[in-house]
Amino acid sequence: MLRSTVIILWIVCSIQAISLVSLQKQSPFQIDSESITRQDFDIWLSEQKDIAFKNILKNIGGISPSLNTTLVPEGVVIASPSSEHPNYFYQWVRDSALTIRSLIYHLDDSKFDDLEISKTIEAYIANNHKLQRLPNLSGSFDDDYSGLGEPKFHADLTAFNEHWGRPQRDGPGLRASTITSYLNVLEKYGKNPSHKDLSDCKYVYSEIIKPDLLYIVKNWNKSGFDLWEEIDSNHFFTSITSLRAIQDGIILYKRYDNEDDQFFQQLESTYTELKNFIENDSGFQQQHIPYIVECPQLLKEGKRSGLDAATLLGSLHSHSLENKNLQQVYEDIPFDIDDSHIINSFRAMVADMKYRYPVNRFRTGFGVGLGRYPEDIYDGYATSEGNPWFISTASASEILYKIVFKLNSNGDDLVITKSTKEFFSQFIDLQDSIEDVVIQYGSEEYEKVTLNLMEYADSFLAVIKDHVDNSGRMSEQFNKYDGFMQGAEDLTWSYSAVWNCIRWRGKALAIL
Ligand SMILES: *[C@@H]1O[C@H](CO)[C@@H](O)[C@H](O)[C@H]1NC(C)=O
Ligand SMILES: *[C@@H]1O[C@H](CO)[C@@H](O)[C@H](O)[C@H]1NC(C)=O
Ligand SMILES: *[C@@H]1O[C@H](CO)[C@@H](O)[C@H](O)[C@H]1NC(C)=O
Ligand SMILES: CC(=O)N[C@H]1CO[C@H](CO)[C@@H](O)[C@@H]1O
């Protein structure tokens, strides 16, 4: 933890007359000397980006210096090396797909000049061909692809046959979109897969991506467990990431297939129906609620507000600003990062969690640590009280960097409407105008909003800086009272989310 946070803690402890002994409590990973440079934000960012990437690789079989490939074969992404209290030593379809995306971005950034990484990605793809076909408690491959809804497997590529929240229907779409991104990168650099089990791109499409798409076609309107594995219902994250996968499928079909008319029609009608579901029938959008309701059933039952970091993650992972072409491909998918519902989900999360989590109270006016959802009671080991998470905090920050990037790279005017006014009034004086305000691209005001947004985004990364340990390591959560990390150590997804965020900061800065 950063010294200033320690000082704040000191004040809190003094006020509450708590023994200063509590300040001696060490983060489980604390080492003797400070090895990261917290006092200089820019230096910290570049160190932390590097540390995050190295720690992603440490959790992937084959490329990891510390994992035994008998237990964790090449290309297998474990969620965390923690095998007890809690046991996250498994491969989740979702966590793996999202983590591999970071590797794909890195590979593209390197102009496909990192063969160890492409080898790892291809091993991941080949493993998933096996996982798809493993009979499991969600079902099997032959039985209508129902086994593709299985959320997690043992690290050694065998089925996990114990009680769990299953099926989780986001897995097939996330995996299909991740592998699509890899095929796109191969195309871009004129490459072919080199893994012995992946003969060519068309094979990857028809044997691995297509079954996942068929799963979505058959199951998109059924209930399933959410990304937090708790609630069997309809979920925004699942629906929006599945819609992206179907869009990916439509493009891949034209590139590699063109023979299976019936399948193409299924993709097109699923796209239309799922989009209509998301926009109209699901209840994700409701008339008097400015934010996305992640799980409408829970709102209806009076159990939750609907606010959830899953909404921010869903928006981020169903769109792309990697290049103009991809931006266009996903343009028709609703709820991009600059949509008023996403912006208001962000705003409402901040408004809630700023006071919900005591560690945030001293950060008045700036970024705060964000958790999963206000009603959360999972503390990383069992149920007690929810805490801020690295994934949520980094994703919020990434959204802000992407808003800046999208506006400035397109040279768009910033149009502030009634529904985004409250958010943008933090960055520019909007007086009491009731009409839409248009801030012209290139104007002085535009630059001011841009810089203020960047500063605001940075202030969320600064929260992360204050809560990582002295080696830049990250667990799942940080305690809402004392700020020390807890939950699964070295959570792969934490590293991936923070790496993505720092990468987007760089991309936004580069175009300003
Ligand atoms: C890897 O694990 C296997 C199975 O437990 C064991 O037999 C082998 O010795 C281990 N290899 C190394 C290098 O530790
Ligand atoms: C899901 O879609 C199928 C096919 O269109 C339809 O038969 C079924 O009634 C739908 N189920 C729900 C719960 O909407
Ligand atoms: C949602 O409903 C509106 C109003 O009925 C309609 O115009 C729109 O096309 C629908 N969206 C989709 C994706 O069908
Ligand atoms: C429906 C189905 O095929 N279920 C199988 C899931 O996997 C377990 C063990 O791997 C089998 O026992 C089930 O029959």
Side-chain angles (χ1 to χ4, degrees), residues 9 65 69 142 144 152 163 176 189 229 233 243 260 265 286 337 362 371 377 380 405-406 413 423 430 465 493-494:
L9 272 177
T69 52
D142 301 323
D144 238 12
K152 75 174 190 182
H163 177 74
Y189 295 98
E229 315 194 282
S233 187
L243 186 67
D260 186 349
Q265 277 165 25
Q286 299 195 12
I337 40 95
F362 300 93
I377 54 167
F405 181 89
K406 192 175 173 187
D413 292 345
F423 174 75
L430 292 170
K465 171 174 68 66
W493 194 354
S494 295

Side-chain angles (χ1 to χ4, degrees), residues 278-293:
I278 291 169
E279 287 190 328
N280 293 327
D281 302 337
S282 57
F284 297 145
Q285 237 183 154
Q286 299 195 12
Q287 212 164 24
H288 300 291
I289 302 180
Y291 54 81
I292 298 276
V293 176

